[in-house]
């Protein structure tokens, strides 16, 4: 189980507060996901054939899955999405 899944589980079980999980989300490095932008029609065709939506462990995709599975409320999802976005922005500005 990844850190993200563990934090979501602890939030869902009431072992951690939303603020505590959001704080951890802001402090962590998030793996970048998504296929690179195709540079040719051949690249585009190859991407269409490949399964480009494999869930990356520890990525924000786990948060999306948890929300769709009912483990997070809309409010929790929104707070965690903002926290992850803050972390990504900070990483972009630092690097």
């Amino acid at each position: 189980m990844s850190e993200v899944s563990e934090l979501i589980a602890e939030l869902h079980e009431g072992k951690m507060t939303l603020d505590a999980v959001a704080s951890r989300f802001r402090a962590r490095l998030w793996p970048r996901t998504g296929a690179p932008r195709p540079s040719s029609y051949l690249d585009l065709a190859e991407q269409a054939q490949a399964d480009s939506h494999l869930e990356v462990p520890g990525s924000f995709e786990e948060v999306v899955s948890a929300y769709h599975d009912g483990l997070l409320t809309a409010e929790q999802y929104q707070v965690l999405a903002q926290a992850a976005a803050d972390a990504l922005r900070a990483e972009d500005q630092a690097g």
Side-chain angles (χ1 to χ4, degrees):
M1 183 180 280
S2 76
E3 176 190 17
V4 173
S5 294
E6 289 175 9
L7 291 169
I8 290 169
E10 289 187 16
L11 174 63
H12 183 70
E13 294 167 7
K15 295 179 181 177
M16 287 186 78
T17 66
L18 179 57
D19 288 339
V21 175
S23 178
R24 295 276 296 272
F25 272 33
R26 281 187 198 91
R28 72 184 309 276
L29 295 176
W30 290 90
R32 305 294 173 130
T33 60
R37 188 175 197 163
S39 60
S40 68
Y41 285 114
L42 179 59
D43 288 345
L44 182 63
E46 288 173 355
Q47 284 181 9
Q49 291 178 352
D51 185 6
S52 63
H53 270 7
L54 295 176
E55 190 171 287
V56 176
S59 71
F60 193 77
E61 293 169 353
E62 289 186 21
V63 181
V64 174
S65 293
Y67 175 70
H68 287 294
D69 292 343
L71 299 175
L72 297 171
T73 66
E75 177 191 359
Q76 291 169 328
Y77 177 82
Q78 185 176 20
V79 168
L80 297 178
Q82 183 62 52
D86 292 345
L88 290 168
R89 261 192 302 279
E91 184 181 335
D92 287 346
Q93 290 174 352

